[in-house]
Amino acid sequence: MEINKNLLKVSAATALAVTALVAQNTTVKADDASQSSSNPTTSQSTSSDAQSQSDQAAQTSQTSQDTTQVVSNKVIKKVRINYVPGYGINIWNTYKTGRKFTKVRAQHNTVWKVYQMVTYKGHKWYRVGTGKWIMAKYTKKYTQKGKKQASSTAAAVVTLLRAQLGKKYVWGATGPNSFDCSGLTSYVYSKAAGINITRTTYTQVNQGKRVSMSNLEPGDLLFWGSASAPYHVGIYIGGGQYIHAASPSQGVIQQSLSSYFYPSVAKRIL
């Protein structure tokens, strides 16, 4: 009986030890699981690093396609359109993909102010006004014409203009045998100077720079009517005289400036 009691005590002690060991192992596993669940720093950090690298790659790609070289509302330089005499290049509303034609063209040999330069997908663009962009490859460096060169071109314009005296006035005609007022001016400038000043009085008045009537030079365009939408145009030839396609009954004639029929605005192309 004494032996059996001793065996029973040993068995009970062993059982308690095993139970304690199992409980300890369970606690350790639970603690490990809790630690893993409450501290996701490693997985979050890896995900964050991957996202950061992706954003940097996208930013690098965008920069390679769209590099703004100069951002300014000030004039940074001037360029001259270098295309084909008598034609112009399209002016777009933006330089980016999906751009739309503004229905306005920058004519060959005209001078434009540049406010911003951008390189987009390997092509350089110039901003020449609000929502107005042109491709730089159709321009060349602007150099101010000397007085002698401008005078020479003006002389060629006046010479060709005089050769049209006596020809008929026909509405809508652009030469060489008959003209209307803006048809005559556009014909002469295109042939004598290689400059497209556009076709109508409404668009020709937007060409060149405005000059005062007291500072006229041969070759200056003279407009009558509204300064923004004139109805008539002629070309000053010097000495208070101008030549224009006057009317169906008069044709192309030379006249003197007078207060009775005085121009509202003058524009210098050369």
Side-chain angles (χ1 to χ4, degrees), residues 19-262:
T19 301
L21 180 60
V22 170
Q24 183 178 5
N25 288 340
T26 302
T27 302
V28 170
K29 291 180 179 179
D31 290 343
D32 289 344
S34 176
Q35 179 67 18
S36 175
S37 173
S38 63
N39 188 21
T41 305
T42 302
S43 60
Q44 288 184 356
S45 177
T46 302
S47 175
S48 178
D49 290 345
Q51 181 64 37
S52 178
Q53 291 175 357
S54 176
D55 292 344
Q56 289 177 359
Q59 184 176 2
T60 301
S61 176
Q62 177 65 19
T63 301
S64 66
Q65 293 182 355
D66 186 356
T67 303
T68 301
Q69 296 176 324
V70 178
V71 180
S72 174
N73 289 323
K74 296 181 179 179
V75 177
I76 56 178
K77 68 175 182 177
K78 293 182 180 180
V79 295
R80 188 179 295 277
I81 304 301
N82 184 32
Y83 194 52
V84 178
Y87 295 88
I89 64 172
N90 291 348
I91 298 178
W92 304 90
N93 68 329
T94 181
Y95 59 87
K96 297 181 179 179
T97 302
R99 54 187 169 271
K100 295 181 180 180
F101 176 43
T102 62
K103 298 182 180 180
V104 178
R105 290 184 173 87
Q107 299 299 322
H108 171 72
N109 209 39
T110 55
V111 177
W112 292 77
K113 297 176 181 178
V114 176
Y115 299 91
Q116 185 178 348
M117 298 187 295
V118 170
T119 298
Y120 181 71
K121 292 187 176 180
H123 297 285
K124 183 179 289 186
W125 291 80
Y126 293 147
R127 181 169 65 84
V128 295
T130 303
K132 297 179 180 179
W133 293 85
I134 61 174
M135 295 190 75
K137 68 179 182 179
Y138 297 120
T139 67
K140 63 181 180 180
K141 184 179 179 180
Y142 168 73
T143 54
Q144 182 70 44
K145 288 185 176 181
K147 187 72 174 180
K148 184 176 181 180
Q149 181 181 358
S151 298
S152 176
T153 305
V157 167
V158 171
T159 297
L160 182 59
L161 185 62
R162 289 184 183 278
Q164 313 313 310
L165 287 170
K167 292 185 177 181
K168 295 180 179 181
Y169 178 103
V170 176
W171 187 85
T174 58
N177 299 315
S178 59
F179 304 91
D180 64 11
C181 66
S182 57
L184 174 64
T185 54
S186 63
Y187 174 84
V188 169
Y189 261 95
S190 175
K191 299 298 182 181
I195 300 175
N196 184 346
I197 60 172
T198 70
R199 173 63 185 86
T200 69
T201 56
Y202 305 112
T203 53
Q204 289 181 8
V205 75
N206 295 321
Q207 308 302 310
K209 65 178 181 179
R210 186 165 183 166
V211 294
S212 68
M213 294 300 297
S214 61
N215 191 35
L216 294 176
E217 293 182 1
D220 290 345
L221 296 178
L222 304 177
F223 295 91
W224 285 261
S226 168
S228 60
Y231 65 85
H232 190 65
V233 63
I235 298 178
Y236 185 72
I237 61 172
Q241 303 282 307
Y242 65 97
I243 293 175
H244 62 144
S247 67
S249 61
Q250 295 174 297
V252 180
I253 59 175
Q254 178 176 326
Q255 288 186 299
S256 298
L257 291 171
S258 69
S259 57
Y260 175 75
F261 187 60
Y262 202 71

